[in-house]
Structure formats: C-alpha cells, structure tokens
Amino acid sequence: MVRRPVAWVVAIVLFAEGLGIAAVQWFLGVVVDRQDMSLAGLDSDMMALSSKIGGVVFGLYFVLCGVVALLVALRDRPPAGLGRILLISAAVVHGLLGAFAWGLVGWGAFLFMMVVLGLIVLLLMTYDAQQEPTDARPEPGPEPESGPKTGPEPANGPAPA
C-alpha cells in the first residue's frame, strides 16, 4: 500500500518544515533586534519579539500537523475531526505560501511548497477511498428456513374445518 509511506513522508516533512520556519523566523527576529532600526516608526524591539513569537507559533502549527500525519501513519487509519481539518488547512497554507514564494523567493521555494501540498493532498485522498461498511456484509451462518413459521400442532390432531 502507498498510504502509510506517504503519511510517514508527510510527517517527516512537516516536522522539518516546522523546525525550519521557527528557526528562520527566530533568526529574522535576532537580525531585527541587532539592527536597532525603525521601520516607519515601528518599535524594533516589538518587531523582533513579534517575529520570534510568530515563528514559534507557525512552527508549532506545522509540528502539530506533522503529529496528525504521524498518527495516521502509525494507526493506518484516516484522519478524523480536528486532525483532518488541520491537514486541510496545512494544504491551503502551502498553496498560499507557494503563490507568495513564486513571486518573492523563486521557483525552488515554489516547487517545494507544491510538492508538500501534493503530499498532503495525496495523504488525504488515499485514506478517503470508499470502503464497504462492515455491517453491509451478511454474516456467515445457517440459512434461514423458508416458508411461514407455524407453531406446534395440537396433540389431538388438526382442528376440524
């Protein structure tokens, strides 16, 4: 089956991406803090702090999505409820980040975002295959008797007509 390896790959990629996003945002916060410059009158300390907090929150979001993919891989069951919503939102985020990355960073970042988007969608679609419910299948057992069921006949014979 292709389902479990895809779930493992998605989990690993999302863990790495979560750590990478947090590290880059933290680094950008440190750079802004050391520059001690103002951007249109904004406080540089607040910009540095918000960059660090945003990086940690965004990184934790991707790590949480990676945990959902990891649980899917371990259990070999489709994501349900909040986990499914998290994976769908991660796919949407990667689509948006891919659009921004194409214009701001280049083809490499765009390609990476589209590959991750494709992996998440593949994970969601492979576990979404329609399976026959277990209660729809007849249980093996003795065949039911055909014809009307009648009670036992009276001891003194059939009733007169």
Side-chain angles (χ1 to χ4, degrees):
M1 269 287 161
V2 167
R3 299 184 323 180
R4 285 184 106 169
V6 168
W8 280 107
V9 169
V10 169
I12 291 168
V13 167
L14 287 174
F15 285 140
E17 192 174 11
L19 293 174
I21 289 285
V24 166
Q25 287 296 109
W26 193 273
F27 174 73
L28 290 175
V30 169
V31 168
V32 168
D33 196 28
R34 289 189 181 164
Q35 290 293 322
D36 200 27
M37 294 172 29
S38 175
L39 179 67
L42 296 174
D43 183 22
S44 63
D45 292 333
M46 284 305 275
M47 288 191 308
L49 182 64
S50 63
S51 176
K52 291 175 182 178
I53 290 173
V56 168
V57 168
F58 207 40
L60 287 175
Y61 165 72
F62 279 137
V63 167
L64 183 61
C65 292
V67 168
V68 171
L70 181 66
L71 290 175
V72 167
L74 290 174
R75 296 178 181 166
D76 198 22
R77 288 189 298 169
L82 181 64
R84 184 170 181 83
I85 292 170
L86 278 171
L87 287 176
I88 291 170
S89 70
V92 171
V93 165
H94 279 86
L96 291 171
L97 286 177
F100 288 125
W102 184 4
L104 298 175
V105 181
W107 282 96
F110 171 76
L111 185 63
F112 174 77
M113 289 297 161
M114 292 303 106
V115 167
V116 177
L117 169 66
L119 285 171
I120 294 172
V121 169
L122 183 63
L123 168 69
L124 290 168
M125 295 301 289
T126 55
Y127 278 97
D128 204 26
Q130 296 294 328
Q131 297 176 358
E132 182 180 335
T134 57
D135 59 344
R137 285 184 254 148
E139 293 186 19
E143 292 291 322
E145 295 179 21
S146 61
K149 291 193 176 199
T150 58
E153 290 190 20
N156 54 359

